[in-house]
Amino acid sequence: MTASTSELPQRPTRRLALKGDLLDFTAAPAWGDIDSPAVRFQPGHWLLIEAGRIVGTQLAAPDETWERQDHSGRLILPGFIDAHVHSPQLDVSGSYGAELLDWLNRYTFPAEIRYGDPAVAKFGAERFLDALLAHGTTAAVVFPTVHKISAEALFEAAADRGMRLVTGKVLMDRHAPDGLRDDVKQAERDCIDLIDRFHGQSPNSRLAYAVTVRFAPTSTPAQLAMAGALCRADASLFMQTHVAENRAEVAWVAELFPTARSYLDVYAREGLLHPRAVLAHGIWLDDEDKRVLAASGAQVAFCPSSNLFLGSGLFDWPAAQRAGFRVSTASDVGGGTSLSMQRNLLDGYKVQAMAGHRMTAWAGLHAATRGAAEALGLAHEIGSFDAGTLADVCVWDWASGPVAQARQQVARELHERVFAWMTLSDERDLMSCFVGGDIRFQPNKEQKIHRS
Ligand SMILES: [Zn+2]
């Protein structure tokens, strides 16, 4: 430290207190339990934030050394964690009439090619992260594109916003159009350079690198081996990919990898399954796959909106619980049609209901907060109001508009109230979004007037 910086006056530590109905989880709620002891509901309490970190909660108002914001009558939750989402796909969400493989070729690949332009990559990254924040999502595991600059742009935009972000350059060296393919050697150099520059570079860093295999069909065996070698060389790296989303895709993988026991085995035999691996979908897995997943510590990102929209299939969450592997929730925009975690959880409820299961609000909200944080190994930083975690916090209206307000007025007990909120609300109910204790999103007045 130089003499001049050591003489700078000490900036006073910011102390911020938010009052509202605090809701988070202390553990995983049991499936189907609407009276779960894992639910921590503290109505009319103050959430205390010091230097960007949560230091506690209390019923009494803190003294005047605290900057106090009174959100009485509103719901305060940890920021949502989207475990699987594609930053360049905001432009293809809501594209008509295709299943996965056709949808990739008709809509998604043309949109992703544009991210080879640095200006598009920068603008797209900033627009995407601001959209997450405007939906109450403060942390995410993100696919950019094959272009190195698309990952750089995301890391830089997340650093500007202080957000927790896990991402990495997409690996794809076959079965994709010109402008969207890399090769093994260059891809390896790009990954190593991005890891060196962005992966947890300081104790306070909120950025982490994920070895990002698009999916088995778009990587050669040599590229998959390279990806596995990167994971084996550094256990702190994440890995993200897709698996067993759609039946035609599963059949194609069986043709491309005839010696693999299953689609999942293509990844398992290369060393890509580990506790920091996030696999989107996992709908068409057999019992052996589920056993392998559980043993590996990897998690499946359940993407209900996407699975319904693309007609991919119905993920069986209770079967995952029985098998013992972790499940987080995700929007998978643009296969999914909304970044709103409430809308995705509502779709999740419907997917489970189709199989005769009932997903409680606790199961859904836990998976989108503490559950995802634990599955990612980040529960010390995000996902709850535990003291010491960073203050990624969202303030929500319990209800806006006459229908939701009337529904809240007749709700009798806590689960009924929160389930109605999860079902009837969306991003338009977001009142404030904080990242590390700093305000990052507030709706403008016109929007609220329009809404009321
Ligand atoms: Zn996806």
Side-chain angles (χ1 to χ4, degrees):
M1 187 178 285
T2 64
S4 60
T5 54
S6 67
E7 287 163 12
L8 284 173
Q10 192 76 35
R11 202 176 121 203
T13 300
R14 185 176 179 219
R15 306 174 95 195
L16 173 66
L18 307 175
K19 185 182 184 186
D21 299 333
L22 311 182
L23 175 64
D24 72 334
F25 300 89
T26 57
W31 186 266
D33 184 3
I34 62 171
D35 298 314
S36 173
V39 178
R40 182 162 56 186
F41 184 60
Q42 303 174 87
H45 277 58
W46 292 88
L47 181 68
L48 306 180
I49 299 163
E50 199 163 347
R53 287 187 187 274
I54 292 167
V55 294
T57 63
Q58 63 186 42
L59 187 56
D63 66 36
E64 287 173 3
T65 63
W66 294 79
E67 175 190 337
R68 291 177 291 192
Q69 292 188 16
D70 190 344
H71 298 281
S72 292
R74 291 197 170 122
L75 177 63
I76 301 183
L77 291 172
F80 287 130
I81 302 162
D82 191 336
H84 177 75
V85 58
H86 298 253
S87 58
Q89 293 183 15
L90 292 187
D91 293 337
V92 301
S93 195
S95 292
Y96 173 75
E99 288 198 359
L100 173 66
L101 300 176
D102 184 33
W103 176 84
L104 285 171
N105 287 316
R106 274 166 65 186
Y107 299 114
T108 303
F109 288 161
E112 293 192 6
I113 285 173
R114 294 199 287 273
Y115 279 65
D117 178 342
V120 173
K122 183 173 190 302
F123 172 78
E126 292 173 350
R127 181 184 59 157
F128 170 75
L129 294 180
D130 287 339
L132 286 185
L133 295 170
H135 287 75
T137 296
T138 51
V141 183
V142 182
F143 268 65
T145 66
V146 70
H147 312 99
K148 182 183 181 187
I149 52 171
S150 73
E152 286 172 338
L154 262 184
F155 278 126
E156 286 165 1
D160 286 347
R161 289 156 180 76
M163 290 176 74
R164 160 52 69 178
L165 183 85
V166 177
T167 192
K169 178 207 114 61
V170 178
L171 297 168
M172 46 198 295
D173 65 348
R174 64 170 173 173
H175 297 139
D178 291 348
L180 273 189
R181 290 188 309 275
D182 54 13
D183 64 69
V184 176
K185 280 287 162 215
Q186 185 60 47
E188 183 177 34
R189 282 195 292 273
D190 288 349
C191 288
I192 290 169
D193 181 57
L194 290 166
I195 292 164
D196 286 346
R197 287 163 54 207
F198 296 108
H199 180 63
Q201 289 308 315
S202 74
N204 293 324
S205 172
R206 305 201 73 186
L207 308 178
Y209 196 83
V211 174
T212 302
V213 176
R214 174 165 221 122
F215 69 153
T218 47
S219 284
T220 57
Q223 188 171 61
L224 292 170
M226 182 274 283
L230 287 174
C231 289
R232 276 193 290 271
D234 183 350
S236 72
L237 292 173
F238 288 84
M239 195 288 294
Q240 60 177 340
T241 191
H242 300 85
V243 71
E245 176 176 358
N246 164 296
R247 277 178 286 196
E249 170 211 19
V250 173
W252 191 23
V253 172
E255 282 174 31
L256 292 171
F257 299 91
T259 62
R261 194 201 69 79
S262 68
Y263 189 163
L264 187 78
D265 188 46
V266 173
Y267 302 137
R269 65 187 189 172
E270 297 295 353
L272 290 165
L273 302 186
H274 50 74
R276 293 197 142 195
V278 183
L279 297 105
H281 309 298
I283 296 167
W284 305 101
L285 299 172
D286 64 18
D287 288 345
E288 174 64 7
D289 288 332
K290 291 173 187 170
R291 193 196 62 72
V292 168
L293 266 180
S296 73
Q299 66 178 291
V300 164
F302 172 34
C303 308
S305 168
S306 171
N307 298 158
L308 292 171
F309 185 76
L310 294 177
S312 300
L314 306 175
F315 176 74
D316 187 340
W317 195 342
Q321 289 223 319
R322 286 194 299 277
F325 64 86
R326 293 180 185 274
V327 177
S328 49
T329 47
S331 70
D332 193 29
V333 160
T337 50
S338 176
L339 292 173
S340 161
M341 204 50 75
Q342 295 100 302
R343 290 192 177 206
N344 279 281
L345 294 176
L346 171 58
D347 281 339
Y349 178 83
K350 294 173 183 173
V351 166
Q352 299 311 315
M354 285 299 294
H357 310 308
R358 289 293 180 270
M359 185 191 96
T360 63
W362 308 144
L365 291 171
H366 172 264
T369 54
R370 189 182 195 109
E374 288 181 349
L376 294 167
L378 296 172
H380 60 285
E381 178 190 320
I382 54 175
S384 76
F385 295 145
D386 285 357
T389 58
L390 280 160
D392 295 354
V393 175
C394 290
V395 180
W396 300 89
D397 266 341
W398 271 106
S400 54
V403 174
Q405 285 169 351
R407 181 66 187 89
Q408 284 295 329
Q409 280 166 10
V410 298
R412 289 157 298 177
E413 42 80 30
L414 183 63
H415 183 266
E416 182 180 358
R417 203 175 171 206
V418 176
F419 186 79
W421 178 80
M422 188 182 89
T423 303
L424 301 176
S425 74
D426 60 30
E427 72 277 11
R428 289 170 294 180
D429 294 308
L430 181 61
M431 297 305 300
S432 301
C433 176
F434 296 87
V435 175
D438 291 328
I439 188 79
R440 290 291 176 189
F441 174 80
Q442 277 182 313
N444 60 40
K445 277 191 180 141
E446 292 73 25
Q447 184 181 348
K448 293 312 289 181
I449 290 166
H450 175 70
R451 180 86 166 131
S452 57

